[in-house]
Amino acid sequence: MHIVVVAFDGFTDIDLFMPWDLFHRVKDPEYAGFTGPWRVSICAKNSEICSYSGVSIRAHGPLSWAREADAVFVVSGPGSRKALKDPAFIEELRLDPSRQTIAAIDSGVLILVKLGLLDGLTATTYPSVFAELEAMGVKAEHKPIVVHGNVATGGGCLATQDLASWVVGRLAGAAAARAILESVAKVGA
């Protein structure tokens, strides 16, 4: 299994690093201990990207890797609007919900809209993005996660863990999904 986390300049740190960490816990025997093939990559248009808070990282590969991935997780952040207006960025993301598990958090959901993956569906996003989502023709649901088949959207940064768990559940099973959430749960919760 190959999960691609799609990022861009101006990404929100928690929306990239939380799923990155959770996806890696799937293979860790201390957490989920999934024994199947498992690979996680951060892909971007540029080889180096910088978060909105100034953290620079190197991408593992180009956006085109998302086309062949088993799952794609699109992050959010102020840079999502620039990515939306970049035809080369959008063209590289030829995703296929008939064979891929696809998720997006907060303003990353707008990228799924631009790709036509939410046509005729509802979605959720960060509360301040609801108006943009609806202006793009998608009815906003005020929920932490909205799932339609192989496509899911998350609203609010802490919904990232639920969205990542949904991806893991689809690829590695319910036990692995529960295990990664339990590994980051608050004590006493």
Side-chain angles (χ1 to χ4, degrees):
M1 295 290 157
H2 185 200
I3 299 173
V4 164
V5 179
V6 171
F8 39 77
D9 276 322
F11 67 87
T12 299
D13 301 62
I14 193 170
D15 294 340
L16 186 142
F17 296 119
M18 182 185 282
W20 171 259
D21 182 88
L22 291 171
F23 292 147
H24 277 280
R25 289 173 186 243
V26 171
K27 291 290 287 183
D28 190 328
E30 184 178 341
Y31 303 115
F34 178 73
T35 58
W38 195 261
R39 181 174 150 217
V40 184
S41 303
I42 297 170
C43 295
K45 180 180 173 189
N46 301 319
S47 61
E48 186 170 312
I49 53 176
C50 186
S51 77
Y52 84 102
S53 69
V55 176
S56 291
I57 63 167
R58 293 194 62 75
H60 300 113
L63 289 173
S64 61
W65 284 11
R67 293 181 212 156
E68 301 306 318
D70 298 291
V72 177
F73 190 102
V74 181
V75 303
S76 76
S80 62
R81 292 358 178 260
K82 186 175 179 183
L84 276 171
K85 295 176 185 172
D86 181 350
F89 180 93
I90 297 300
E91 175 60 27
E92 285 299 307
L93 294 177
R94 284 178 257 136
L95 306 180
D96 183 356
S98 71
R99 62 172 183 76
Q100 293 178 297
T101 297
I102 302 167
I105 189 73
D106 295 340
S107 64
V109 171
L110 302 176
I111 292 170
L112 297 189
V113 176
K114 183 81 171 186
L115 294 170
L117 299 177
L118 296 174
D119 291 351
L121 302 175
T122 59
T124 190
T125 187
Y126 197 75
S128 64
V129 183
F130 285 149
E132 283 178 85
L133 180 65
E134 293 201 337
M136 293 176 79
V138 176
K139 184 179 182 316
E141 290 195 56
H142 294 245
K143 296 180 178 179
I145 186 171
V146 173
V147 177
H148 294 286
N150 287 338
V151 178
T153 56
C157 293
L158 294 181
T160 301
Q161 65 186 356
D162 299 324
L163 202 53
S165 174
W166 175 80
V167 170
V168 169
R170 308 259 317 171
L171 300 180
R178 273 191 311 279
I180 65 160
L181 285 181
E182 290 169 1
S183 75
V184 295
K186 294 179 281 191
V187 173

Coordinates of all heavy atoms in Angstrom, one line a residue, residues 1 10 21-22 40 52 59 73 90 132 142 149 156 165 176 180 184:
M1 N 0.8 -1.2 0.0 CA 0.0 0.0 0.0 C 0.9 1.2 0.0 O 1.9 1.3 0.7 CB -0.9 0.0 1.3 CG -1.9 -1.0 1.4 SD -3.2 -0.8 0.1 CE -3.8 -2.4 0.0
G10 N 2.9 26.8 2.0 CA 1.8 27.4 2.8 C 0.9 26.4 3.4 O -0.3 26.7 3.8
D21 N 2.4 11.2 10.8 CA 2.8 10.4 12.0 C 1.8 9.2 12.2 O 2.3 8.1 12.4 CB 2.7 11.3 13.3 CG 3.1 10.5 14.5 OD1 4.3 10.5 14.8 OD2 2.2 10.0 15.2
L22 N 0.5 9.5 12.1 CA -0.4 8.4 12.2 C -0.3 7.3 11.2 O -0.4 6.1 11.5 CB -1.9 9.0 12.2 CG -2.3 9.8 13.4 CD1 -3.6 10.5 13.2 CD2 -2.3 9.0 14.7
V40 N 4.6 5.5 2.9 CA 4.0 6.8 3.0 C 4.9 7.9 2.4 O 6.1 7.9 2.7 CB 3.7 7.2 4.5 CG1 2.9 8.5 4.5 CG2 2.9 6.1 5.2
Y52 N 3.0 27.3 6.5 CA 2.6 28.7 6.8 C 3.4 29.3 8.0 O 3.6 30.5 8.1 CB 1.1 28.8 7.0 CG 0.7 28.5 8.4 CD1 0.4 29.5 9.3 CD2 0.6 27.2 8.8 CE1 0.0 29.2 10.6 CE2 0.3 26.9 10.1 CZ -0.1 27.9 11.0 OH -0.4 27.6 12.3
A59 N 10.1 17.3 -0.3 CA 9.1 16.3 -0.7 C 9.8 15.1 -1.1 O 10.9 15.1 -1.5 CB 8.3 16.9 -1.9
F73 N -4.0 11.8 0.6 CA -4.5 12.7 1.6 C -4.1 14.1 1.3 O -2.9 14.3 1.3 CB -3.9 12.2 3.0 CG -4.5 12.9 4.2 CD1 -5.4 12.3 5.0 CD2 -4.1 14.2 4.5 CE1 -6.0 12.9 6.1 CE2 -4.7 14.8 5.6 CZ -5.6 14.2 6.4
I90 N -3.0 21.3 -10.5 CA -4.3 20.6 -10.6 C -4.2 19.5 -11.6 O -4.6 18.4 -11.4 CB -5.4 21.6 -10.9 CG1 -5.7 22.6 -9.8 CG2 -6.7 20.8 -11.3 CD1 -6.0 22.0 -8.5
E132 N -16.7 29.4 0.8 CA -16.0 29.1 -0.4 C -16.4 27.8 -1.0 O -16.6 27.7 -2.2 CB -14.5 29.1 -0.1 CG -13.8 30.4 0.0 CD -12.3 30.2 0.3 OE1 -11.5 30.0 -0.6 OE2 -12.0 30.2 1.5
H142 N -21.9 20.5 8.5 CA -21.2 20.9 9.7 C -20.9 19.7 10.5 O -21.5 19.5 11.6 CB -22.1 21.9 10.5 CG -22.2 23.2 9.7 ND1 -21.7 24.4 10.1 CD2 -22.8 23.5 8.5 CE1 -21.9 25.4 9.3 NE2 -22.6 24.8 8.3
G149 N -18.5 7.0 -0.4 CA -17.7 6.0 -1.1 C -16.3 6.0 -0.7 O -15.9 5.9 0.5
G156 N -12.0 20.9 10.4 CA -11.3 21.3 11.6 C -10.0 20.5 11.8 O -10.0 19.3 11.5
S165 N -7.5 8.1 10.3 CA -8.0 6.7 10.8 C -9.0 6.1 9.7 O -8.9 4.9 9.5 CB -8.8 6.9 12.1 OG -9.4 5.7 12.5
A176 N -6.3 -1.8 12.9 CA -5.2 -0.8 12.7 C -5.7 0.6 12.9 O -5.0 1.5 13.5 CB -4.5 -1.0 11.3
I180 N -4.2 3.2 15.9 CA -3.5 4.4 15.7 C -4.2 5.5 16.5 O -3.5 6.4 17.0 CB -3.2 4.8 14.2 CG1 -4.5 5.1 13.5 CG2 -2.4 3.8 13.6 CD1 -4.4 5.9 12.2
V184 N -2.7 7.9 20.2 CA -2.6 9.3 20.4 C -3.7 9.9 21.3 O -3.9 11.1 21.4 CB -2.6 10.1 19.1 CG1 -1.3 9.8 18.3 CG2 -3.8 9.9 18.2

